[in-house]
Amino acid sequence: MIKPSSCVGCPLYESGRGFVPDDIPVNAKYIIRGEAPARVECEKGKPFQGPAGFVLRSWLLKAVPQ
């Protein structure tokens, strides 16, 4: 489990199940905000890596023209 080193004042620091840092490019036009990370996201340290990420990617592929 990844824990942030600079955010120890939050009560979730000790009891939280995981932390996934953002990976937002400075020039991003859009961002997708998720809620609490699941097991796969916590293990990999990246957002939208598990089943929810699969569903999100399939929706985006249908909605955004290639």
Side-chain angles (χ1 to χ4, degrees), residues 12-33:
L12 292 175
Y13 182 78
E14 290 300 325
S15 64
R17 295 186 325 185
F19 173 78
V20 177
D22 69 48
D23 190 17
I24 303 170
V26 176
N27 60 347
K29 282 182 109 176
Y30 304 99
I31 62 169
I32 296 174
R33 180 176 167 246

Side-chain angles (χ1 to χ4, degrees), residues 38-66:
R39 179 184 54 81
V40 177
E41 286 81 3
C42 291
E43 288 173 359
K44 293 187 175 188
K46 291 185 171 189
F48 303 110
Q49 295 295 304
F54 175 80
V55 172
L56 174 65
R57 281 187 293 282
S58 67
W59 287 349
L60 289 173
L61 287 172
K62 291 176 186 175
V64 179
Q66 298 285 323

